Amino acid sequence: SRMYGACIVWYEQLPSSVASIFLEEMEVEAEEPPEVHAQEAICLLSRAPIFSVLMDSCRQLFRMRLARAPNPLTHEDLGPLLGTPIPGHGGSCAIPLGNVQVKVEI
């Protein structure tokens, strides 16, 4: 069966303690640890070809993630997305994500 997906990738600055630990393990001395970034991503998959819904949901989850940084999204945040059944052909529904309703039309 086919899978469809959307993904947003960005770079997040890591705490200086992470860079310090890495430098210690590499036995490198530095007055101050360098600024270090790591990739983070939000990826959504579906068996239905609903690309605009997947991308709109990714964007909203990204906004929610930025608003809550440095804390991650919780299961409570993702509950509506994970628990809303996708309607059958010709149907529609809305998925509440944060302060946005992502409209789904099949």
Side-chain angles (χ1 to χ4, degrees), residues 3 9 17 22 29 33 42 48 57-59 62 74-77 83 86-87 90-91 96-97 100 102 104:
M3 293 295 289
V9 178
S17 59
F22 175 74
E29 291 189 31
I42 295 173
S57 297
C58 276
R59 285 188 193 107
F62 178 67
T74 65
H75 191 274
E76 212 171 81
D77 296 322
I86 300 297
L97 283 178
V100 170
V102 178
V104 180

Side-chain angles (χ1 to χ4, degrees), residues 29-79:
E29 291 189 31
E31 287 184 29
E32 289 213 15
E35 192 172 287
V36 179
H37 293 79
Q39 283 186 337
E40 286 194 30
I42 295 173
C43 300
L44 298 175
L45 300 173
S46 173
R47 294 192 189 277
I50 50 173
F51 298 109
S52 62
V53 173
L54 293 173
M55 205 60 225
D56 289 347
S57 297
C58 276
R59 285 188 193 107
Q60 180 58 19
L61 290 171
F62 178 67
R63 286 185 206 104
M64 291 167 63
R65 170 66 179 92
L66 290 179
R68 158 171 314 220
N71 299 322
L73 295 175
T74 65
H75 191 274
E76 212 171 81
D77 296 322
L78 301 175

Side-chain angles (χ1 to χ4, degrees), residues 21 49 88 102 105:
I21 291 169
V102 178
E105 291 181 344

Side-chain angles (χ1 to χ4, degrees), residues 12-28 30 32-40 70:
E12 187 78 23
Q13 184 175 347
L14 296 175
S16 60
S17 59
V18 173
S20 295
I21 291 169
F22 175 74
L23 291 174
E24 285 174 17
E25 288 178 1
M26 299 300 293
E27 298 180 1
V28 175
E32 289 213 15
E35 192 172 287
V36 179
H37 293 79
Q39 283 186 337
E40 286 194 30

